[in-house]
Amino acid sequence: APAPEQEEDEEEVDKFCGLSGLTVPVEISLNGKSFTSDMKTFTFYGEVSSDKVSFPPPAAEGAEQVTVEHILKQDTVFLVHVEGLLPTQYAKVRFKWLKETCADPTKPGEEDFLPEKEWFTLDLDEKDVNVEDGTLKAVVPPGPLKQPERDDILTILEFSMNGQHFHPVELPAPLKIAPYVDPNAPVEEVDPKAKAKGKKK
């Protein structure tokens, strides 16, 4: 068996050999002789993962602290904590909306999601990528239209470092987002007599 000191040294070995975050020019050839020379670059990202979302303290004194248990309203700021985060100008956060009929929101199948065209992808600025804290700063988008049997829309959260390949945020349960309410939708009128009748015991 290896000595304790040897085990500790092995744990500190970088399995990506220092290449994570390295940006290099890429040249392409179709004939094996002539290569492109426009200096297009490629950045290699090592292993990244996330299993935590947090919310900044409330701005107003005495206001309630938002948590993952709340139904999140549009424009609510939140932080995605990412292990292995590196500087990038292509970071994105994606919201994959679940159907109201999803039997187990913690283990959804492909058939449990709304069509991909209805998902929401948020482009982040470089200033939203905080490598020192290991966080991506994002805001809650407007959810889809309200579903008949729910007061919220469940969403699976994903993030991307290059704008193309997405990784799941491994939360215990989907986030709950406030649905979009069409301001032009007709308001259902309630008959005052029926309302009064309903109050009688």
Side-chain angles (χ1 to χ4, degrees), residues 152-166:
D152 56 23
I153 305 292
L154 299 181
T155 185
I156 299 297
L157 201 63
E158 297 182 335
F159 71 96
S160 173
M161 301 293 294
N162 60 8
Q164 296 178 335
H165 303 97
F166 284 83

Side-chain angles (χ1 to χ4, degrees), residues 56-162:
E61 185 176 353
E64 184 179 9
Q65 173 66 52
V66 178
T67 71
V68 291
E69 302 298 327
H70 287 79
I71 297 178
L72 305 177
K73 298 179 180 179
Q74 183 178 346
D75 296 329
T76 299
V77 176
F78 66 96
L79 302 174
V80 179
H81 296 253
V82 178
E83 287 287 338
L85 184 63
L86 295 167
T88 175
Q89 57 181 323
Y90 305 109
K92 296 178 185 288
V93 171
R94 183 163 70 183
F95 298 76
K96 297 172 63 175
W97 310 113
L98 286 171
K99 294 179 180 177
E100 185 179 28
T101 54
C102 178
D104 186 358
T106 62
K107 297 179 181 179
E110 292 184 8
E111 70 281 359
D112 292 318
F113 291 96
L114 292 178
E116 185 174 348
K117 64 181 181 180
E118 298 187 34
W119 300 351
F120 191 95
T121 301
L122 182 68
D123 295 334
L124 304 183
D125 294 329
E126 286 186 79
K127 61 181 177 59
D128 297 322
V129 181
N130 190 326
V131 176
E132 183 176 348
D133 292 341
T135 59
L136 300 174
K137 181 181 178 182
V139 295
V140 173
L145 288 173
K146 186 181 184 305
Q147 298 176 350
E149 303 298 327
R150 293 191 65 95
D151 293 327
D152 56 23
I153 305 292
L154 299 181
T155 185
I156 299 297
L157 201 63
E158 297 182 335
F159 71 96
S160 173
M161 301 293 294
N162 60 8

